[in-house]
Amino acid sequence: GAGGDMSLTAGKTTSSNANGGKLTIMAGESDDPSASSSTSTSTGGEIEIVAGQGSGTGGAVTITTGVGTATDSGAMTLSTAAGGTSGNSGDVSMKTGAGGTTGNSGSMELATGDSQTAGASGNISISTGSAVGGNGGDITLKVGDGNTGAGGDMS
């Protein structure tokens, strides 16, 4: 038979001008009061979301903000926290997995949605942060090389 489903849902409201319940998933803190901030090697807990393995196709992971039936949909933020006193902020990596022996790697799309009726479509901004006492960050766009065929195009 099929594996069991699990659902975790915050509270619903039917009251006017009220918010639905907030759902927070937080990993454990690692706080070593005996270590100074510059010598501590303790690491906070991790959160891992992994879809199920399939003997055919593996499970998908979908994260979607809520629709606003009268106005705006919810915003989405994916960010790392600021670094500690003498540390770096965390990296963000988004990439597809490698293809199998005869398969292709997955595609990646960065796009805004189409506008409806009389609205404008959204903007895309790619930038690096400003540096204080160091070099500014680089932006690199690179297409892949082809082993037995042509390399990728950039347009």
Side-chain angles (χ1 to χ4, degrees):
D5 293 341
M6 185 178 97
S7 178
L8 182 62
T9 305
K12 175 182 178 178
T13 182
T14 56
S15 299
S16 296
N17 299 319
N19 298 329
K22 179 179 178 179
L23 177 64
T24 301
I25 300 173
M26 178 182 265
E29 295 181 2
S30 176
D31 188 6
D32 182 359
S34 64
S36 72
S37 61
S38 63
T39 61
S40 178
T41 58
S42 299
T43 302
E46 297 179 2
I47 294 177
E48 184 173 307
I49 300 173
V50 179
Q53 175 179 321
S55 58
T57 300
V61 174
T62 302
I63 301 173
T64 305
T65 66
V67 63
T69 56
T71 58
D72 303 337
S73 66
M76 180 179 289
T77 301
L78 173 66
S79 64
T80 64
T85 305
S86 58
N88 302 319
S89 68
D91 296 330
V92 174
S93 175
M94 291 191 309
K95 61 183 179 181
T96 67
T101 305
T102 58
N104 301 322
S105 66
S107 297
M108 184 177 292
E109 178 181 31
L110 175 64
T112 66
D114 296 333
S115 67
Q116 302 296 320
T117 312
S121 64
N123 298 323
I124 294 178
S125 174
I126 299 174
S127 63
T128 64
S130 298
V132 177
N135 296 328
D138 296 327
I139 294 177
T140 303
L141 299 175
K142 182 181 181 207
V143 297
D145 296 324
N147 185 15
T148 59
D153 290 329
M154 185 178 297
S155 58

